[in-house]
Amino acid sequence: MAIEIEKPSVGLSKVAVSETHGEDSPYFAGWKAYDENPYNESSNPSGVIQMGLAENQVSFDLLEKYLEEHSEASSWGKGAPGFRENALFQDYHGLKSFRQAMANFMEQIRGGRARFDPDRIVLTAGATAANELLTFILADPGDALLVPTPYYPGFDRDLRWRTGVKIVPIHCDSSNNFQVTPEAMEAAYRCAESMNLKVRGILITNPSNPLGATIQRTVLEQILDFATNKNIHLVSDEIYSGSTFSSSEFISIAEVLETRGYKDSERVHIVYSLSKDLGLPGFRVGTIYSYNDKVVTTARRMSSFTLISSQTQHLLACMLSNKEFSENYIKTNRERLTRRYDMIINGLKTAGIECLKGNAGLFCWMNLSPLLEEPTRESELALWKVILNEVRLNISPGSSCHCSEPGWFRVCFANMSEQTLEVALKRIHKLMEQRRRRN
Amino acid sequence: MEFTRNNNRQLLSKVATNNRHGENTPYFEGWKAYDSNPFHPTQNPQGVIQMGLAENQLCFDLIEKWLLENPDASICTAEGIDRFRDIAIFQDYHGLKEFREGVAKLMGRVGGNRVKFDPNRIVMSGGATGANETVMFCLADPGDAFLVPSPYYAAFARDLRWRTGLEIVPVDCKSSNNFRITRAALEEAYEEAQRSNINVKGVIIANPSNPLGTVLDKETMRSLVSFINDKSIHLVCDEIYAATVFGSPRFISVAEIIQDMDCNRDLIHIVYSLSKDMGLPGFRVGIVYSFNDCVMNCARKMSSFGLVSSQTQFLLAAMLNDEEFVGNFLRESSKRLAKRHHVFTKGLERIGISTLKSNAGLFFWMDMRPLLKEQTVQAEIELWRVIINKVKLNVSPGSSFQCSEPGWFRVCFANMDDETVQVALERIREFVHQGKEEDGVSEKSKHWRKQNLRLSFSSSRLYNESLMSPHMISPHSPIPQSPLVRART
């Protein structure tokens, strides 16, 4: 039995003792409230409804149907042919058939308007790992990446924690639907310079989390031009590219490069994942697609720290190379997400709540600024606490996404049944009625 | 402005442009020779036999049988599909409870059931590769150093240093005492580091050892723990080969050692994996098991960067919780490894080649010092070139493990079938006899007169960058060219 030793606690790294893992943000506190009192239609109808988790649960039946009809993907259960090769396979190039399938899938999502070379696909265990890995490659500790606000709270950890790289926000506001502008990019760049930070790149999420909207072509062009002028990298996290409500409205940076003849494309890198579009976050499937050979080679070597399970690569290679399945999935998934979106937008509208006009993603960006006591972050958090504890909905406050305008909230709608969504909408109606009566 | 080659250098990070990924070393050149001319019993019997890859291919039949009998362990079969969506959604970095329980049970069992491992301390990572890196991120800052007894696993140079910015201070171990780690060597390395203003944060060992194939005895373990405790630095034990032990002495986990010692448990951390013991490197199951709550919590948060696929967690949970299967697997695996080890080492003994006495790992440590022109690394590399190009065996030279004594080679034996084993032995026999004939030494003699050995080799350049094309298969797996496994695609 070890003696209790009266010593100062033994030294850990600075990384270990820092708070840059970001888990102390309200973003995660809401989950705690949910975990302690989770809604259940029958057993806990007054529990907290989870609307802070961007998961896609609307299309599982399509996946299950595929599996039931295609035993080759589940071949281990019935004779295990190919098991040992698969179990041994740890080549960081990844299963060729899987890379091919991913490249095809990415092309299909973009309606064939861009081509993807399977040999440029680097596999990582989730987009979380992909974004961190790219940051390690593109920037040194102490350097900065420019990121438009509001942005996914996880970026604070993924881009900064172990890399030592800083995020300098590009401020966006509702005056132009939170779109990035050249002025805002310049301002962020100057801000970084004034802090003596070397800017190495700009990272955008398209479609945007938390806005739930795609970036317009002109804006993409401006962002690419900006990156070119400053001679920095452009990372486009396109994790929600398959979750657009209409196939034509999403424009990938790949398409912009295509129209430019891939001139100067070596500064562009795309991150993708199956966690949102296919609803498979547990499987840890992320990819980096880079137009820069050295980045591809280095990323591939670095992926040794975060490879995708060969078992999972095998399963998904089978599934995604089935064109009939993938085409039908993309189409059906889009339709169902659109339906959900319409449902929540209309429900909120009748409650008197406006949202940013969205066209993608698993969430909507809700404007509750009229309800704020004062246009401040504190007021926003106070309102958030009321919604969490009294209305019992876990939604994400805009401040946790670094939104500079208080009063906006991200509300997820694809991680629950339609019935649960109805219940959530009813509760919101009630809240709004109460507020109206009070006034 | 376009990205020029020069520009690339400045436009990527220092981490991206340095060589700490480690691929520009001779270690990987041997694989190149294998990849371009892989042995196949019928299609390419003159090809290079891969003996540089520490894989365990001896017990797949047992796992395949279990899979056939347990279709519900897969979420893709009719029997398991009702679990599909719950598992597909599950990305909680605590990991599936049953998975953690299965791993904890396995670790306990592998340690001879002398220690109970707490499932709540089990933290996932992207293979042991990810686990070792994660632990370093938790324990040390850029510029800090870890003491590493040599010879050590070649890829530690990458795993411990590349993205973390740490340094390795080798602690040289010598053949004169069978490469044991001595307190004196540790003290000396530590003091030397202090004098050079290098901040040593800990010691990392592999037990059983790669490349030696030996288990650390109790005394050495206790001495190690006492050393790090006195200095108040960390001890990381990579126990990835724990279940590859056969015969005696038995494997003793550091977890067992600290049960009977006064030491600060906050300094003790274990890395584990299923890649060697179970032969499942493709599944990327790395485990961090720390006795330090802060490190455990930090490593768990970091596991977001390398979680085990929930599909794989689910499968392995079922497998590892089948105690009958696990017991049988471990027993059978030990038996088969012992047999394979015996065939090789006895075969080599008959030819006059000695190996370090070992009873663990998927390799043995072969003594080729008598065959060296001179006792230098250069001579070792020259001999290695001959072994690859003339004898057509890809073995790994001791220098790639930072061994301070030239002439030792690591030879993997568990990644091939029995027939290939015989072919390999025969080739060594021939090579040795050829040498004897040229040497004019009688067959009774077991020693060599080095100067008579004519070694031919090609270029003296150890590394040729242009040959490292993106299409070269990674160092980690030559599949589908593995001699045991037939290519399918």
Side-chain angles (χ1 to χ4, degrees):
Chain A
M1 183 69 142
I3 294 177
E4 287 301 330
I5 296 175
E6 291 287 336
K7 269 184 190 182
S9 74
V10 73
L12 301 186
S13 65
K14 297 193 178 79
V15 161
V17 301
S18 83
E19 310 250 296
T20 320
H21 51 72
E23 287 196 13
D24 306 323
S25 120
Y27 185 65
F28 299 105
W31 288 3
K32 200 158 130 330
Y34 167 78
D35 284 337
E36 289 164 3
N37 182 20
Y39 171 83
N40 181 291
E41 201 181 342
S42 37
S43 61
N44 191 17
S46 58
V48 176
I49 298 179
Q50 174 63 290
M51 304 189 88
L53 194 50
E55 277 179 355
N56 180 0
Q57 295 192 22
V58 308
S59 301
F60 275 130
D61 59 315
L62 301 178
L63 299 168
E64 286 158 350
K65 180 161 176 291
Y66 169 84
L67 291 170
E68 275 156 2
E69 295 169 2
H70 294 88
S71 62
E72 74 275 16
S74 60
S75 58
W76 298 359
K78 305 241 185 296
F83 168 74
R84 56 180 74 189
E85 283 129 324
N86 192 253
L88 284 171
F89 187 84
Q90 56 169 331
D91 179 351
Y92 62 29
H93 287 77
L95 220 54
K96 190 162 157 79
S97 55
F98 179 52
R99 280 186 286 117
Q100 187 68 59
M102 281 297 276
N104 292 343
F105 193 65
M106 288 169 76
E107 285 174 2
Q108 277 179 293
I109 285 174
R110 291 158 183 73
R113 295 184 297 272
R115 300 232 68 84
F116 290 96
D117 174 1
D119 290 336
R120 291 197 168 282
I121 289 187
V122 175
L123 303 174
T124 62
T128 299
N131 282 316
E132 188 198 42
L133 201 150
L134 267 178
T135 306
F136 268 119
I137 290 178
L138 306 180
D140 292 309
D143 289 345
L145 292 177
L146 305 183
V147 185
T149 67
Y151 62 76
Y152 164 53
F155 278 162
D156 287 332
R157 171 197 61 193
D158 302 348
L159 309 181
R160 301 182 322 156
W161 191 20
R162 305 192 304 182
T163 61
V165 170
K166 304 193 190 300
I167 293 177
V168 172
I170 299 172
H171 293 292
C172 304
D173 58 64
S174 59
S175 61
N176 70 340
N177 294 319
F178 294 94
Q179 289 178 96
V180 172
T181 63
E183 295 74 34
M185 287 189 282
E186 274 299 335
Y189 193 89
R190 277 195 309 270
C191 178
E193 278 186 323
S194 73
M195 296 191 281
N196 267 325
L197 301 176
K198 185 149 178 255
V199 176
R200 301 305 287 269
I202 168 170
L203 188 145
I204 60 174
T205 306
N206 178 28
S208 160
N209 174 11
L211 301 178
T214 57
I215 300 181
Q216 293 174 16
R217 181 182 282 274
T218 42
V219 179
L220 281 177
E221 306 256 11
Q222 285 168 346
I223 294 172
L224 184 54
D225 289 339
F226 177 82
T228 308
N229 288 334
K230 302 292 190 214
N231 197 18
I232 59 178
H233 293 277
L234 171 55
V235 178
S236 181
D237 184 344
E238 303 190 347
I239 192 174
Y240 291 100
S241 47
S243 302
T244 54
F245 306 153
S246 123
S247 105
S248 54
E249 286 182 31
F250 168 63
I251 295 164
S252 165
I253 195 70
E255 294 172 54
V256 176
L257 290 176
E258 169 93 22
T259 47
R260 291 186 179 196
Y262 295 100
K263 180 172 179 292
D264 207 18
S265 57
E266 284 180 355
R267 66 180 76 256
V268 180
H269 325 279
I270 297 176
V271 167
Y272 185 55
S273 161
L274 298 182
S275 297
K276 310 296 178 182
D277 292 347
L278 251 68
L280 305 171
F283 287 5
R284 315 315 300 146
V285 180
T287 71
I288 294 170
Y289 189 91
S290 175
Y291 296 90
N292 182 316
D293 288 350
K294 174 87 181 165
V295 172
V296 171
T297 304
T298 308
R300 196 181 277 140
R301 288 179 175 148
M302 227 180 245
S303 69
S304 297
F305 298 111
T306 182
L307 297 174
I308 301 178
S309 167
S310 54
Q311 176 193 19
T312 302
Q313 290 189 51
H314 167 76
L315 165 67
L316 295 173
C318 291
M319 196 187 283
L320 293 182
S321 47
N322 184 315
K323 279 242 151 62
E324 199 190 313
F325 165 78
S326 55
E327 271 169 19
N328 179 52
Y329 181 93
I330 292 171
K331 181 165 153 294
T332 311
N333 185 48
R334 259 192 202 122
E335 285 164 7
R336 292 179 183 180
L337 288 175
T338 308
R339 198 181 129 94
R340 279 297 172 98
Y341 175 78
D342 289 339
M343 191 176 149
I344 194 174
I345 292 300
N346 292 330
L348 290 173
K349 204 162 191 180
T350 48
I353 297 176
E354 292 293 325
C355 293
L356 181 75
K357 184 156 175 15
N359 62 347
L362 311 175
F363 31 73
C364 61
W365 190 232
M366 181 169 75
N367 184 7
L368 291 184
S369 54
L371 271 66
L372 293 188
E373 300 263 336
E374 300 164 352
T376 62
R377 188 170 169 270
E378 289 69 29
S379 264
E380 176 188 284
L381 286 175
L383 176 59
W384 171 67
K385 286 212 174 83
V386 166
I387 296 175
L388 183 61
N389 299 317
E390 294 173 25
V391 188
R392 270 166 278 118
L393 300 176
N394 178 32
I395 61 180
S396 310
S399 49
S400 67
C401 303
H402 301 277
C403 186
S404 39
E405 249 179 66
W408 292 85
F409 291 80
R410 188 192 75 170
V411 186
C412 299
F413 56 69
N415 63 317
M416 62 190 72
S417 66
E418 281 189 8
Q419 291 79 4
T420 307
L421 188 51
E422 293 285 8
V423 173
L425 286 169
K426 274 200 193 81
R427 292 185 188 181
I428 294 177
H429 272 254
K430 208 163 140 212
L431 168 74
M432 296 303 282
E433 264 175 45
Q434 279 168 1
R435 289 277 163 136
R436 269 192 290 272
R437 261 187 264 124
R438 234 177 34 184
N439 297 345
Chain B
M1 192 203 292
E2 295 201 343
F3 266 47
T4 61
R5 224 195 152 119
N6 247 348
N7 236 354
N8 229 0
R9 217 131 257 285
Q10 295 149 14
L11 281 154
L12 300 187
S13 66
K14 295 189 180 76
V15 160
T17 50
N18 69 27
N19 273 328
R20 289 184 169 215
H21 49 75
E23 287 192 15
N24 301 349
T25 59
Y27 185 61
F28 300 112
E29 198 185 308
W31 287 356
K32 202 170 49 62
Y34 169 80
D35 285 340
S36 50
N37 182 21
F39 170 83
H40 185 281
T42 48
Q43 291 166 23
N44 190 19
Q46 300 307 317
V48 176
I49 298 178
Q50 174 63 285
M51 303 189 85
L53 194 51
E55 279 177 351
N56 183 355
Q57 295 191 19
L58 303 185
C59 290
F60 280 129
D61 57 316
L62 302 178
I63 300 182
E64 284 159 352
K65 178 167 177 286
W66 187 90
L67 289 171
L68 263 168
E69 295 167 359
N70 294 275
D72 56 349
S74 163
I75 51 176
C76 305
T77 57
E79 293 84 346
I81 194 122
D82 60 337
R83 297 299 310 273
F84 181 80
R85 54 180 75 188
D86 287 337
I87 298 299
I89 277 270
F90 186 83
Q91 57 170 331
D92 179 352
Y93 62 27
H94 288 81
L96 275 177
K97 181 159 152 299
E98 298 79 12
F99 171 69
R100 282 183 286 113
E101 284 167 353
V103 173
K105 266 191 244 165
L106 176 67
M107 289 173 75
R109 203 152 188 174
V110 163
N113 285 323
R114 284 177 166 81
V115 190
K116 233 170 164 283
F117 286 90
D118 178 0
N120 294 325
R121 287 203 167 278
I122 300 274
V123 170
M124 298 178 286
S125 58
T129 300
N132 280 316
E133 190 199 42
T134 292
V135 172
M136 291 300 120
F137 268 123
C138 291
L139 302 182
D141 295 315
D144 288 344
F146 258 73
L147 299 182
V148 191
S150 73
Y152 58 79
Y153 169 51
F156 268 167
R158 172 197 63 192
D159 300 349
L160 309 180
R161 300 183 322 152
W162 193 17
R163 304 193 301 182
T164 59
L166 303 197
E167 298 301 335
I168 289 177
V169 172
V171 179
D172 288 334
C173 301
K174 311 261 184 251
S175 61
S176 51
N177 69 341
N178 292 319
F179 297 96
R180 265 209 195 80
I181 305 167
T182 63
R183 179 79 184 236
L186 287 167
E187 291 282 0
E188 194 191 314
Y190 184 82
E191 259 130 54
E192 170 77 41
Q194 299 281 79
R195 280 196 296 274
S196 315
N197 270 324
I198 295 172
N199 188 22
V200 174
K201 289 308 287 282
V203 179
I204 177 166
I205 61 163
N207 175 32
S209 161
N210 174 10
L212 302 176
T214 50
V215 297
L216 268 63
D217 58 88
K218 206 171 203 169
E219 211 181 288
T220 303
M221 290 294 299
R222 290 176 69 93
S223 163
L224 252 168
V225 172
S226 154
F227 171 76
I228 57 105
N229 199 49
D230 286 349
K231 306 280 187 264
S232 207
I233 60 178
H234 295 277
L235 176 59
V236 181
C237 295
D238 183 349
E239 301 186 343
I240 191 175
Y241 289 100
T244 63
V245 175
F246 46 90
S248 68
R250 65 176 181 87
F251 165 69
I252 305 173
S253 168
V254 67
E256 184 185 334
I257 296 292
I258 61 176
Q259 274 178 164
D260 311 312
M261 277 184 85
D262 287 339
C263 93
N264 182 358
R265 290 179 155 222
D266 278 349
L267 298 171
I268 310 291
H269 324 275
I270 297 175
V271 162
Y272 188 57
S273 164
L274 300 184
S275 299
K276 310 295 178 181
D277 289 352
M278 309 254 345
L280 307 171
F283 288 6
R284 313 317 301 149
V285 180
I287 303 291
V288 174
Y289 190 98
S290 174
F291 290 89
N292 180 322
D293 287 350
C294 282
V295 173
M296 177 186 71
N297 289 323
C298 182
R300 188 179 284 130
K301 294 184 169 89
M302 287 184 181
S303 67
S304 298
F305 298 112
L307 295 172
V308 176
S309 167
S310 54
Q311 175 194 18
T312 303
Q313 288 185 52
F314 185 76
L315 175 76
L316 294 172
M319 198 185 289
L320 298 178
N321 284 308
D322 182 342
E323 305 201 22
E324 197 187 317
F325 166 76
V326 173
N328 184 50
F329 181 93
L330 293 176
R331 269 188 305 272
E332 199 48 43
S333 177
S334 272
K335 252 203 302 208
R336 296 180 188 184
L337 285 169
K339 182 154 171 245
R340 187 53 78 80
H341 179 267
H342 182 86
V343 163
F344 255 117
T345 50
K346 279 287 169 292
L348 287 174
E349 206 176 67
R350 272 183 231 120
I351 310 170
I353 294 181
S354 69
T355 61
L356 182 72
K357 186 163 176 334
S358 66
N359 68 319
L362 308 174
F363 32 74
F364 52 82
W365 193 232
M366 184 168 70
D367 186 358
M368 301 287 258
R369 289 175 298 169
L371 272 67
L372 289 190
K373 241 176 22 192
E374 38 182 46
Q375 301 301 316
T376 62
V377 173
Q378 182 65 13
E380 175 187 283
I381 298 296
E382 284 172 12
L383 174 58
W384 176 57
R385 290 273 175 85
V386 169
I387 297 175
I388 291 184
N389 297 317
K390 293 253 142 54
V391 192
K392 306 251 188 55
L393 302 176
N394 179 31
V395 298
S396 309
S399 48
S400 59
F401 301 96
Q402 305 304 317
C403 186
S404 55
E405 284 175 34
W408 293 87
F409 289 79
R410 188 193 75 173
V411 183
C412 298
F413 58 70
N415 62 317
M416 61 188 68
D417 58 30
D418 292 328
E419 289 74 30
T420 309
V421 171
Q422 293 307 323
V423 175
L425 277 171
E426 186 49 42
R427 288 187 185 179
I428 300 177
R429 218 171 272 135
E430 262 183 54
F431 168 63
V432 162
H433 284 142
Q434 220 175 47
K436 274 189 179 161
E437 275 159 23
E438 286 165 1
D439 210 22
V441 172
S442 82
E443 297 219 352
K444 287 186 194 137
S445 168
K446 289 201 166 151
H447 296 289
W448 301 86
R449 261 183 280 141
K450 306 159 203 166
Q451 60 270 30
N452 284 341
L453 278 171
R454 269 169 290 158
L455 301 175
S456 64
F457 51 90
S458 51
S459 159
S460 60
R461 272 199 71 189
L462 293 181
Y463 171 71
N464 187 343
E465 170 133 16
S466 66
L467 294 166
M468 297 280 277
S469 76
H471 298 291
M472 177 189 142
I473 292 179
S474 95
H476 299 289
S477 173
I479 299 299
Q481 287 101 323
S482 163
L484 182 61
V485 174
R486 306 290 179 254
R488 272 170 191 272
T489 52

